Amino acid sequence: MAGIRERARAELTDEIVRLARVQVEQQGAANLSLRAIARDLGMVSSAIYRYFASRDELLTRLIIDSYERVGDAVEQADAAVRRRSDFMARWRAMSHALRDWAVANPSEYALIFGTPVPGYAAPQDTIGPASRYTVVLIALIVEMEAAGHTVRAKVPAALRQDYAIFRRRFAVPASDAMLMQGMVAWANVMGAISLELFGHLHNVIDTPGALFEAVVEVQGRQLIVGTVPAERTSKRP
């Protein structure tokens, strides 16, 4: 009997989450309402609070699920590149996986990368899932630097301070300069996706993915080709 109750609870929880996603897609995350979901389910409004104690708890569930999904997509794309030393292929794979996921799930992308929800503060539970897609990039630049890639760039003092704090939380064996180069490249990729997805390229660049493709290639060359180990660049054909 307990097993039946647990399955029924799990099924109803999944349905609440599904309806919440529909509501976010149609009305925006700021308008997420547990009471409205309860009405859709034919429940009294108080009953839904047995599953999620508040709107913020349900919103956190949606956010974590979305971060996990985009993390899966980027991790799997990188892992599918069999030649691990082909850093450009890995860069392209992870970048395209991020855009493909965003295009397929625009409301989820907007939820985690768009305008913050007024009055909502993400709890610590979101940090791990939110880091997954970025960890793939950090692994790439760590491996690049281990292979001899270097960056000759001055890192601003403010960034050095932030990286010092970052290293106290995450042991990342990459130089500040390489971290900066990688994060600049990733920020440009994210920016290109957001511009396209949120309609800011309309009547400027209407071919889907055209600007994104250019950004991936330009940033990839700067990140990877532009940091080729010195012994390689000194060789003559």
Side-chain angles (χ1 to χ4, degrees):
M1 185 66 71
I4 294 174
R5 283 198 299 268
E6 289 173 2
R7 284 197 298 274
R9 181 180 179 84
E11 288 173 1
L12 186 51
T13 300
D14 288 344
E15 182 64 6
I16 291 170
V17 171
R18 187 190 71 79
L19 289 172
R21 287 215 176 278
V22 171
Q23 197 179 105
V24 167
E25 183 176 357
Q26 294 177 348
Q27 302 176 32
N31 296 311
L32 180 63
S33 167
L34 284 172
R35 290 178 179 274
I37 293 171
R39 284 197 302 271
D40 290 342
L41 290 170
M43 300 168 62
V44 294
S45 59
S46 59
I48 200 168
Y49 290 97
R50 299 173 192 161
Y51 298 85
F52 292 94
S54 66
R55 180 212 68 162
D56 285 4
E57 185 177 302
L58 177 54
L59 191 56
T60 296
R61 168 67 181 269
L62 298 181
I63 289 169
I64 288 175
D65 285 355
S66 294
Y67 274 130
E68 297 287 16
R69 280 157 46 77
V70 71
D72 284 342
V74 176
E75 287 171 1
Q76 290 168 14
D78 176 54
V81 181
R82 298 181 63 182
R83 187 170 166 229
R84 305 307 290 163
S85 61
D86 189 343
F87 299 126
M88 191 66 177
R90 291 171 62 187
W91 165 255
R92 289 184 181 121
M94 65 179 69
S95 299
H96 281 276
L98 181 58
R99 178 183 177 273
D100 290 347
W101 183 87
V103 170
N105 305 279
S107 64
E108 288 187 64
Y109 182 90
L111 175 64
I112 56 178
F113 298 121
T115 304
V117 178
Y120 173 78
Q124 293 290 313
D125 295 354
T126 61
I127 293 176
S131 302
R132 284 181 57 191
Y133 73 99
T134 306
V135 166
V136 181
L137 169 73
I138 291 175
L140 176 71
I141 62 178
V142 166
E143 291 176 44
M144 284 174 54
E145 198 160 40
H149 290 248
T150 58
V151 176
R152 295 179 179 84
K154 183 178 180 181
V155 180
L159 273 183
R160 289 201 304 272
Q161 292 172 4
D162 286 341
Y163 288 150
I165 297 170
F166 175 77
R167 290 177 198 285
R168 288 200 289 269
R169 295 171 56 195
F170 305 102
V172 177
S175 67
D176 286 355
M178 186 62 83
L179 273 175
M180 181 181 71
Q181 191 87 339
M183 294 181 81
V184 165
W186 204 225
N188 276 274
V189 165
M190 295 289 294
I193 294 172
S194 294
L195 285 172
E196 178 184 353
L197 216 62
F198 299 147
H200 297 301
L201 298 178
H202 185 57
N203 291 329
V204 179
I205 298 174
D206 289 327
T207 303
L211 178 63
F212 170 82
E213 196 74 55
V215 168
V216 170
E217 293 305 308
V218 170
Q219 293 299 319
R221 285 196 296 273
Q222 291 180 359
L223 175 63
I224 297 161
V225 180
T227 60
V228 171
E231 61 269 21
R232 294 189 192 174
T233 59
S234 63
K235 290 181 181 178
R236 296 181 180 276

